[in-house]
Amino acid sequence: MNILAIESSCDETAVAIVRDGRQVLTDCIASQVDLHRIYGGVVPEIASRMHIEAIYGLADQALAQTGLTRSDLDAVAVTYAPGLIGAVLVGVNFAKAAALALDKPLIPVHHIRGHIAANYLAYPQLEPPFLCLVVSGGHTMIVDVRDYTDMQILGTTLDDAAGECFDKVGRVLGMPYPGGAAVDKAAQQGQSGKYDLPRSKPGANPYDMSFSGLKTASLNLIHHARQVGEDLDIPSLCASFTQAVSDTLVPRVVQALAQTGRKRLAAAGGVAANSRIRGDILKTAEALGVTVYLPPLKLCGDNAAMIGAQAYYEYLAGNVADMGLNAYATKSILGEAI
Ligand code: KG4
Ligand code: ZN
């Protein structure tokens, strides 16, 4: 089954064609990052306009690259939530028009389910059940993937997402947007024990997380050093910050592995590209005899191939939409309104 997949929830316009949920025939991305960098973050109105400009050409490019014709496509899938509403709407409207014109099923895909499914592309042998640590720019959660479309959220951040904090720290340090990759690079030259930063333990659920205290403490430390004219060891600050994020994530994952008895652990989302976090997950989980699945860096960030992968399993579960499909800025991974 050849699925044309569309992703436009943030600042990447992406179109892919994925066969049977596992085989990427083509994965086209038009990134807007350079444009938003001027403003230090994504400007939603600019993002929506750029998606409109890019999406038709990308879909044509996807077909041309595979040598397929429109009649070789069996379904159209699209990220319908969550994301910047204007941006998601561009993809949803394009997908609806394409499905109508091709007379093929329309498959709505939750963006975070797509991130999890990136692992199916990287690891053909991976099948649920497994545990997944989702760490992106907008979400941070530990998900028990019981089946392809049956998931349980064990814990989530109660405030900021991990990626949001990476971006904020990077921005205050004058690093280019999005800051995560630059903080990661700087941290590799620093000492993670140099600055004492908090690890919060919020609420009654041991799997819930909080990053806003860490973000505030990091920003206060930077501002204070500047005010008193103290030299900041930026690589060590980045390393200490990254270690605090990792120390918030990894022990919760370990506890969740113990509680669920899962023997497979995957990671998903842009922050799963972080070298320290990847290293800590690998070291810790493998010591427990757990098999670890870390998507290659290209599949950690936003792309449409992951949407095409999840779409196949949504289709098999009967999750198709009609022309009434809407876009949503927020929606839980379980499909509930939040
Ligand atoms: O999953 P993603 O591409 O988009 C969302 O769905 O949010 O994640 C983007 C986030 C950004 O916050 C970015 O700074 C972060 O992933 N990121 C990283 C790294 N590469 C990207 N964070 C830490 N270390 C990295 N190497
Ligand atoms: Zn994403």
Side-chain angles (χ1 to χ4, degrees):
M1 179 179 197
N2 295 328
I3 299 182
L4 178 75
I6 316 289
E7 155 64 41
S8 69
S9 64
C10 191
D11 57 354
E12 323 273 4
T13 321
V15 179
I17 301 175
V18 181
R19 182 170 290 164
D20 297 337
R22 298 279 178 163
Q23 192 190 351
V24 182
L25 304 186
T26 184
D27 186 12
C28 306
I29 300 190
S31 179
Q32 309 172 4
V33 162
D34 290 342
L35 198 69
H36 297 292
R37 191 164 281 152
I38 307 165
Y39 306 96
V42 181
V43 182
E45 181 59 22
I46 294 177
S48 310
R49 285 166 188 265
M50 294 300 292
H51 286 311
I52 292 173
E53 285 181 23
I55 201 160
Y56 291 88
L58 271 187
D60 276 345
Q61 187 185 323
L63 277 174
Q65 279 182 359
T66 53
L68 297 178
T69 64
R70 291 175 188 192
S71 59
D72 295 320
L73 300 172
D74 300 302
V76 181
V78 64
T79 300
Y80 78 107
L84 301 170
I85 189 62
V88 188
L89 269 168
V90 174
V92 165
N93 282 318
F94 180 86
K96 281 161 78 169
L100 189 68
L102 298 169
D103 194 22
K104 297 292 178 192
L106 174 65
I107 311 169
V109 177
H110 189 284
H111 181 76
I112 299 300
R113 287 189 181 207
H115 271 301
I116 295 172
N119 286 283
Y120 304 141
L121 300 172
Y123 301 101
Q125 76 284 15
L126 176 64
E127 289 178 1
F130 59 89
L131 205 70
C132 189
L133 172 65
V134 177
V135 267
S136 75
H139 294 79
T140 305
M141 53 180 131
I142 300 171
V143 181
D144 188 25
V145 184
R146 298 191 285 212
D147 207 339
Y148 289 104
T149 58
D150 176 16
M151 299 169 199
Q152 186 189 3
I153 300 170
L154 300 181
T156 178
T157 179
L158 299 180
D159 40 55
D160 298 335
E164 209 175 314
C165 298
F166 269 101
D167 293 345
K168 196 68 200 260
V169 168
R171 183 170 162 169
V172 171
L173 289 174
M175 293 170 170
Y177 168 83
V183 170
D184 186 0
K185 196 158 172 237
Q188 290 169 20
Q189 313 301 323
Q191 297 160 14
S192 60
K194 178 149 180 182
Y195 294 101
D196 188 21
L197 293 168
R199 281 97 168 125
S200 306
K201 283 204 176 87
N205 178 355
Y207 306 117
D208 280 346
M209 297 159 264
S210 162
F211 292 99
S212 70
L214 170 62
K215 182 178 80 178
T216 307
S218 307
L219 299 188
N220 283 348
L221 196 148
I222 298 165
H223 291 315
H224 180 261
R226 284 180 183 156
Q227 276 161 8
V228 299
E230 186 185 302
D231 272 348
L232 257 185
D233 175 355
I234 290 176
S236 293
L237 176 67
C238 291
S240 304
F241 166 78
T242 306
Q243 193 60 58
V245 174
S246 187
D247 289 350
T248 304
L249 299 170
V250 176
R252 286 171 172 78
V253 169
V254 169
Q255 199 175 340
L257 285 168
Q259 189 217 309
T260 57
R262 298 285 182 232
K263 287 288 171 214
R264 283 172 291 191
L265 170 68
V271 183
N274 184 271
S275 57
R276 164 56 60 138
I277 296 171
R278 288 172 85 90
D280 287 353
I281 292 173
L282 209 58
K283 196 173 59 199
T284 314
E286 285 190 344
L288 298 170
V290 169
T291 309
V292 179
Y293 301 88
L294 298 171
L297 303 194
K298 184 171 171 269
L299 283 172
C300 288
D302 289 346
N303 64 84
M306 67 185 196
I307 302 303
Q310 181 62 22
Y312 178 66
Y313 297 102
E314 298 289 348
Y315 178 78
L316 293 183
N319 298 333
V320 293
D322 60 22
M323 288 298 133
L325 177 68
N326 204 353
Y328 299 88
T330 58
K331 194 166 272 284
S332 110
I333 194 171
L334 309 177
E336 293 154 354
I338 44 175

